[in-house]
Amino acid sequence: MIFLGFFAVLVCSASFAQAPEKSIAKVQYTFTHIRDTTAPDKPYQENMVLIIGKNASRYLSLDALANMTKILQDLKRQAVESQGGKLTLSIGPGKDLTREEYFYFTKENKLIIQQHLINTYLVEEPTYHIDWRISNDTMSFEGIHCRKASAHFKGRNWIVWYTTELPFQSGPWKLNGLPGLIIDAHDDKNQVKFEFAGMEMIQDDPIKVAEKNDKIERDAQLPEGFFDIKDISSEEKEIKLPGKSIKTNRKDFDKLTEAFMKDRMGFINTQMAGSDKTIKIENSNSRKPIAPVKKILNNPIELPEK
């Protein structure tokens, strides 16, 4: 499924008031999830990143970001070649990348999930506390000294390794609340894993996602309402919520997602109708309609409590 969240129209601003947090470092994880327990040898895998500040963090998919960068590069190339004419976006079946971004604010113990579905939505999660049990076991990940902790959370028994050398109370996904950064995590059945894949400090100037040899004209303009490539770096100087977004609840957003899954082309065209966008949405395979996305998910990350 194409990650379409950056194609945001002008929408009302959400009422979340969170001060921007300066980014300090980023941690990369390899996310592995056995979504279908009837096929444990075929787990889903994705590259993720956690951007951390002193009192806030942002967790998102590097693969989804790279996919969107590629799409925007193509649109920008079209903008240069057509000199402001109509642009074409072809969509078709693809990997079901993570569309959510998780913003965790330590002092407020607040988790806000940014969702992309043509528009940008913000959903605040209810406040929760993870009852961690810290052990004396230790392990090192690429020279980072870690301690072991465990807890039952969202229907699973989690085992994590965290480091007090980086005193940030954050971690991948919704795992947080320890006196240090969570470096590695998995459930006791090894069905969900967040494996440490590297860490680096963020410099004063963010590294651009676009390839160094990108020859696209930087002064080309996309249609109004689109983000420029330079604005979607995975390493922003600040951790902050998007300025233009819609505050909603989980129930209403799930209804939108269901409609999108049933008819992506129809949903996109309906959402963009009357928005004055000079863009044409078409099927990448003009001979066949895009079938509804079918994915087997009998083992979600969050399991119902027994």
Side-chain angles (χ1 to χ4, degrees):
M1 180 175 62
I2 295 294
F3 185 77
L4 288 167
F6 294 107
F7 301 147
V9 297
L10 295 178
V11 295
C12 60
S13 296
S15 59
F16 296 114
Q18 297 294 150
E21 177 86 20
K22 184 178 180 181
S23 301
I24 298 174
K26 72 171 185 177
V27 182
Q28 294 190 29
Y29 303 89
T30 300
F31 169 54
T32 305
H33 180 197
I34 298 176
R35 293 177 167 181
D36 179 9
T37 54
T38 66
D41 58 329
K42 297 179 180 179
Y44 176 82
Q45 198 167 81
E46 193 170 358
N47 297 302
M48 312 296 290
V49 65
L50 178 71
I51 303 172
I52 51 177
K54 184 178 180 181
N55 296 301
S57 64
R58 176 190 177 197
Y59 176 74
L60 67 155
S61 166
L62 281 176
D63 291 346
L65 190 60
N67 186 48
M68 178 49 57
T69 300
K70 182 178 179 180
I71 292 172
L72 290 182
Q73 284 178 326
D74 181 62
L75 289 174
K76 198 155 194 177
R77 175 188 58 78
Q78 291 183 49
V80 172
E81 294 176 353
S82 66
Q83 296 183 345
K86 181 174 288 188
L87 309 182
T88 300
L89 172 65
S90 297
I91 65 173
K95 187 176 180 180
D96 186 24
L97 298 171
T98 300
R99 293 178 290 109
E100 298 86 2
E101 296 187 22
Y102 297 81
F103 290 84
Y104 178 60
F105 300 93
T106 306
K107 289 183 177 180
E108 299 85 352
N109 190 28
K110 182 179 291 185
L111 178 67
I112 298 173
I113 301 177
Q114 178 179 315
Q115 305 269 14
H116 301 292
L117 205 60
I118 312 305
N119 295 327
T120 300
Y121 298 85
L122 295 180
V123 179
E124 183 174 349
E125 288 271 305
T127 301
Y128 58 85
H129 170 74
I130 303 177
D131 187 17
W132 293 107
R133 298 179 297 279
I134 298 175
S135 77
N136 293 322
D137 295 342
T138 62
M139 183 181 291
S140 292
F141 293 84
E142 295 188 14
I144 302 173
H145 182 73
C146 297
R147 292 190 64 179
K148 183 180 180 181
S150 59
H152 183 80
F153 177 65
K154 300 292 184 180
R156 294 183 183 273
N157 295 317
W158 289 94
I159 300 167
V160 308
W161 296 93
Y162 73 96
T163 177
T164 55
E165 295 175 2
L166 297 167
F168 307 109
Q169 298 180 39
S170 300
W173 183 53
K174 299 179 181 181
L175 301 173
N176 55 58
L178 282 162
L181 180 68
I182 296 175
I183 294 295
D184 200 272
H186 62 88
D187 73 330
D188 60 349
K189 296 181 180 180
N190 279 319
Q191 294 179 339
V192 183
K193 295 186 288 185
F194 302 92
E195 298 176 279
F196 179 70
M199 185 183 72
E200 62 183 87
M201 305 304 292
I202 294 179
Q203 304 301 317
D204 291 336
D205 295 321
I207 300 172
K208 304 303 180 183
V209 173
E211 296 180 357
K212 293 181 180 179
N213 295 326
D214 178 23
K215 302 300 182 181
I216 297 174
E217 293 291 337
R218 292 298 172 183
D219 58 353
Q221 297 296 314
L222 293 176
E224 183 178 356
F226 287 72
F227 285 87
D228 188 80
I229 292 173
K230 65 184 179 182
D231 294 326
I232 62 170
S233 171
S234 65
E235 297 177 314
E236 296 178 350
K237 287 184 178 181
E238 294 181 322
I239 300 170
K240 58 183 178 181
L241 296 171
K244 294 176 181 178
S245 52
I246 300 173
K247 182 181 179 181
T248 187
N249 56 56
R250 174 60 58 187
K251 183 178 179 180
D252 288 344
F253 185 80
D254 286 347
K255 289 180 180 179
L256 286 172
T257 302
E258 183 179 358
F260 177 70
M261 292 297 187
K262 287 182 177 179
D263 181 9
R264 288 185 289 168
M265 291 287 290
F267 183 92
I268 294 169
N269 287 321
T270 298
Q271 291 291 311
M272 299 180 74
S275 63
D276 297 326
K277 280 185 168 55
T278 56
I279 185 168
K280 176 184 178 183
I281 309 293
E282 68 177 17
N283 189 343
S284 59
N285 185 349
S286 59
R287 296 182 180 181
K288 297 180 180 180
I290 298 176
V293 175
K294 295 181 180 179
K295 61 178 181 179
I296 299 176
L297 181 58
N298 60 27
N299 186 35
I301 297 179
E302 297 185 28
L303 296 174
E305 297 289 352
K306 297 181 180 179

